[in-house]
Every structure is written in C-alpha cells, then in structure tokens.
Amino acid sequence: MLTKKQHELLIFINNRLSETGVSPSFDEMKEALDLRSKSGIHRLITALEERGFIRRLPHRARALEVLKMPDGAKVDATPSPEQRGFKPAVVNADFNRGRAGREPSRSAPHEGVVDLPVLGRIAAGTPIEAIQHEVDRFSAPEAFIGKGDHYILEVQGESMIDAGIQDGDFVVIKRCESAENGSIVVALVDDEEATLKRLRKKGASIALEAANPAFETRIYGPDRVSVQGKLVGLMRRYH
C-alpha cells in the first residue's frame, strides 16, 4: 500500500518517462509534489524501490525505471520518444543540467569535454549527511578539470563566502585521501557527516576552518576526519 505522496511521485515519474523518455530531476519532483527539500524525494524513491514499483538504473544519472503501477492507477498512454522517433536534445560542452541516461563510459560528448557526476549537496556550514547518490551530471572542459577522478557537489550554506564560495555554487572536487595544509577539502566526520572546509593540521588535531567569521572552526581528533576530495574548480549560475 502506497502513501499519497508515494503514489503521486510514481504517477509523475511514469508520466514524465512516457512523455520524454527521461526521468525527472529531483528539483522537478520536489516542485511537483510541493516538498521543501530533495531529501523527501530521496526517501520516497527509496520507499518505491523497496516496494518494487521502480528501480534505479546503475551508472546512469537520474535514470529510473517504472516496474509496475498500483491497481487502478491511471497511466499516461503518451507514446515513448522511441515510438515517436524522437530523441531528447542534449546541450553539449557546457554546465547545463539535463544529461540523464548517459553512460559514464561514453561520457565525453566531444573531444576535450568530460561528463562529471553531481553527488548532491555539501554543507559549507554545519556538517550535513554524507553525500551518497548521484543526482545529475554536468559537462565541463577537460582542460578546466585536469587529470584524475572528479565529482561535483552543490554548496549549501555561507561559511566559505570569504573564499569566494557562495550558497548555490557547484564545486568540482578531485577524489583524494590527503591534502596539503590549508587546502579546501570535502571532509567526512565520524564516517557519517560531510562538510566543505579548509583543512588545518594542528599537532595531533585536525581543524576544519570556515571562511566566514560568523562560523566557528571545528577541531577533531585525527581518527574522526577523513579527506574525501580536494576543491579544484567552481561553477556558478547567473540568473
């Protein structure tokens, strides 16, 4: 038995897939269900997946498949894009959203362009829940990114504004397990909370330092903090 919100989300996902062949974004699902945050969408999707109504397609951004519908539910009969001979347009070589369904192994739409996963939000303030799920993908010039394994996080909070990092920015992170003293890193605290801070090593302790005087520096023992990556780039939308 589905809750009202679970039922609404399942219908919305199924109708969008029927219309476009592409899963809706978390922002679109949040707006359609009038929820305040994407975390509510994560919980609903997990519940639908556990009940066998949908499944997430591995290694594909925003890719969902509807496996079944509840009895009596009205399903949009709009033909799929494949049935209409239509393929969704993709804007290449920029930082726009909407690159669902592209396999990472075929991620570069043009030579010199790479496709990076967006793994959710990272707090530039009080640590929040660790990032776990890919929610989108962005294209970026390879020369801008450099070598190595990279991912993108959306910044939430204002504790790093004096370092030029604002709420709503997208930071490009290079995966690594260590960083130089003074680097801005994604730090995992107690194996469960992720935050974006400047790393300061002070004797046997590690300080996660904000770049805003309104936020305090937090100090931890070395066994409580692990580096998940280092900041190498930043993207910003102008509306």
Side-chain angles (χ1 to χ4, degrees):
M1 192 73 177
L2 298 180
T3 66
K4 180 180 178 182
K5 287 296 185 183
Q6 290 168 1
H7 187 275
E8 289 177 0
L9 182 59
L10 180 60
I11 295 297
F12 179 69
I13 292 172
N14 185 74
N15 288 349
R16 180 60 64 88
L17 285 170
S18 297
E19 292 169 359
T20 68
V22 178
S23 304
S25 69
F26 279 77
D27 280 319
E28 290 169 334
M29 288 186 272
K30 178 172 69 72
E31 292 175 6
L33 270 66
D34 195 27
L35 296 180
R36 293 183 178 181
S37 69
K38 294 179 187 177
S39 62
I41 296 298
H42 279 289
R43 287 192 293 270
L44 291 172
I45 286 178
T46 299
L48 289 172
E49 190 174 30
E50 289 175 348
R51 288 162 175 77
F53 287 94
I54 65 173
R55 75 181 180 99
R56 293 182 239 217
L57 302 180
H59 309 303
R60 297 178 63 182
R62 284 173 39 188
L64 301 172
E65 180 183 11
V66 176
L67 300 177
K68 64 180 181 180
M69 298 295 290
D71 293 338
K74 182 179 179 181
V75 179
D76 194 326
T78 305
S80 68
E82 288 77 10
Q83 292 170 325
R84 298 195 304 261
F86 168 80
K87 293 183 179 180
V90 176
V91 180
N92 294 327
D94 62 18
F95 305 131
N96 289 333
R97 288 176 180 268
R99 302 191 51 79
R102 297 181 65 87
E103 297 284 353
S105 61
R106 294 177 286 133
S107 60
H110 293 297
E111 184 177 356
V113 176
V114 294
D115 215 18
L116 301 178
V118 181
L119 299 186
R121 288 183 174 179
I122 183 75
T126 304
I128 58 174
E129 184 178 344
I131 307 303
Q132 295 181 357
H133 302 294
E134 179 177 320
V135 297
D136 214 329
R137 295 188 81 84
F138 284 168
S139 293
E142 189 173 16
F144 172 77
I145 301 303
K147 302 297 183 181
D149 187 13
H150 297 77
Y151 58 92
I152 294 173
L153 297 170
E154 182 179 0
V155 175
Q156 184 178 47
E158 299 182 340
S159 76
M160 299 302 290
I161 57 175
D162 287 351
I165 302 171
Q166 301 178 13
D167 183 45
D169 284 349
F170 291 87
V171 288
V172 181
I173 304 297
K174 181 178 181 179
R175 292 186 189 274
C176 60
E177 297 180 353
S178 62
E180 301 81 5
N181 201 29
S183 298
I184 296 176
V185 302
V186 172
L188 187 65
V189 180
D190 295 332
D191 291 326
E192 61 181 20
E193 294 178 327
T195 187
L196 184 71
K197 288 290 183 293
R198 194 177 298 279
L199 180 72
R200 297 289 188 190
K201 300 174 183 178
K202 299 184 177 181
S205 299
I206 292 177
L208 299 180
E209 183 180 278
N212 182 338
F215 292 80
E216 65 178 353
T217 295
R218 297 177 178 269
I219 300 176
Y220 302 92
D223 58 333
R224 295 184 60 192
V225 177
S226 60
V227 174
Q228 303 290 292
K230 181 173 66 174
L231 176 72
V232 297
L234 184 144
M235 304 176 186
R236 178 172 299 157
R237 276 202 186 91
Y238 292 93
H239 300 285

